[in-house]
Amino acid sequence: MDFFQFFIFLSGIVSGFLNTVAGGGSLLVLPLLVFSGLDMGIANATNRVAILLQSLTATRSFARGGVLDVREMLPAAFAASLGSLVGTVAAVRMDEQALRAVAALFIFGMALLLLFRPGMWERRRAVQMPPAIHHAVFFLIGVYGGFLQAWVGFFLIWALAGVGGKDLVQSNAGKVFIVGCFTAVSLALFASNGLVRLGTGLVLACGSMIGAHFGARFTMASGNRAIRLILAAMVMASAAKLLWDVFWA
């Protein structure tokens, strides 16, 4: 392993931790992969190797910790996986600038809710939602995740906590399971199109799995208030970065 691969490994640890605790780890990883010589499309695809393995690691930790009911998450995971099929096909041929602009505005709104409506995120609530609408929400998030992957964790947390009524610890646990399911679908499609650099992806994944393990433990130990504040900070940073890329870069 040369120095640059070691740096990718270290960035995997950080991104795996961030993706498990809140989201936004790809803010670090994607620019690094592009700097290593991959174009954005290949970097976006290769990152899925690490996302898949870190999701499996975190899912195992959350399930053992008793905060994840896999059976309860299966319908949402199935809907998101169907959506990722659409998004992954679109990723090969569409420009992502408009999607980034919409994502930035949505994420910024989520940050304001995290800061000023803490009860919406920290306490579990009974929510009545028609199953068709519930499945449609996760399908659309899957479309986005198949297309871009970056920041999809924020949308899943919004769907599970802000809309679905779960607290943030449970939402993080559900998030990583759903991400793992639809990432397996999108990764297979990207790989079939020759867009995945497996060696680089596995180096990144080795670090990401370590970060995901400690991220899951940190999430369960810290509780909802601490996770809400960390999530708000990451969401604000992500929204600012997206808006900068869209309007000023």
Side-chain angles (χ1 to χ4, degrees):
M1 180 182 294
D2 59 28
F3 175 79
F4 200 81
Q5 287 180 316
F6 183 67
F7 195 64
I8 289 176
F9 170 78
L10 292 179
S11 74
I13 295 176
V14 177
S15 67
F17 182 88
L18 290 176
N19 282 335
T20 303
V21 173
S26 294
L27 279 172
L28 172 67
V29 169
L30 289 178
L32 181 62
L33 292 177
V34 171
F35 183 73
S36 73
L38 303 181
D39 67 35
M40 186 60 183
I42 292 176
N44 182 32
T46 300
N47 185 38
R48 313 291 173 119
V49 178
I51 296 292
L52 174 60
L53 293 179
Q54 75 183 227
S55 297
L56 293 175
T57 301
T59 293
R60 180 172 178 267
S61 296
F62 281 128
R64 284 189 166 187
V67 298
L68 173 63
D69 184 344
V70 170
R71 183 174 297 179
E72 182 186 10
M73 289 293 108
L74 283 176
F78 180 73
S81 297
L82 288 179
S84 74
L85 286 171
V86 178
T88 303
V89 171
V92 180
R93 60 192 69 178
M94 286 178 59
D95 180 77
E96 65 189 53
Q97 195 77 346
L99 185 62
R100 284 177 178 270
V102 173
L105 294 174
F106 189 92
I107 289 172
F108 185 75
M110 178 179 168
L112 295 178
L113 290 174
L114 279 162
L115 290 172
F116 298 113
R117 293 194 62 185
M120 180 180 180
W121 308 90
E122 293 182 13
R123 294 187 294 272
R124 185 162 189 168
R125 297 167 286 116
V127 176
Q128 298 295 325
M129 182 182 296
I133 295 177
H134 183 267
H135 296 154
V137 167
F138 285 99
F139 175 84
L140 292 174
I141 294 173
V143 172
Y144 173 86
F147 184 88
L148 194 58
Q149 183 75 49
W151 307 286
V152 71
F154 297 149
F155 297 119
L156 285 169
I157 289 174
W158 166 79
L160 291 165
V163 176
K166 295 188 177 301
D167 65 36
L168 281 178
V169 173
Q170 294 168 324
S171 296
N172 265 322
K175 172 199 71 182
V176 296
F177 173 69
I178 294 170
V179 167
C181 290
F182 76 69
T183 297
V185 174
S186 62
L187 178 60
L189 289 175
F190 278 122
S192 69
N193 283 277
L195 295 173
V196 176
R197 300 296 178 265
L198 186 58
T200 300
L202 288 175
V203 171
L204 181 64
C206 287
S208 293
M209 293 168 71
I210 295 172
H213 171 73
F214 287 105
R217 294 181 63 179
F218 177 85
T219 298
M220 291 184 285
S222 298
N224 288 295
R225 185 174 186 276
I227 299 304
R228 179 177 63 84
L229 295 176
I230 293 170
L231 181 61
M234 288 302 301
V235 166
M236 280 289 195
S238 297
K241 173 68 166 58
L242 274 168
L243 289 170
W244 177 269
D245 288 347
V246 170
F247 295 110
W248 292 286

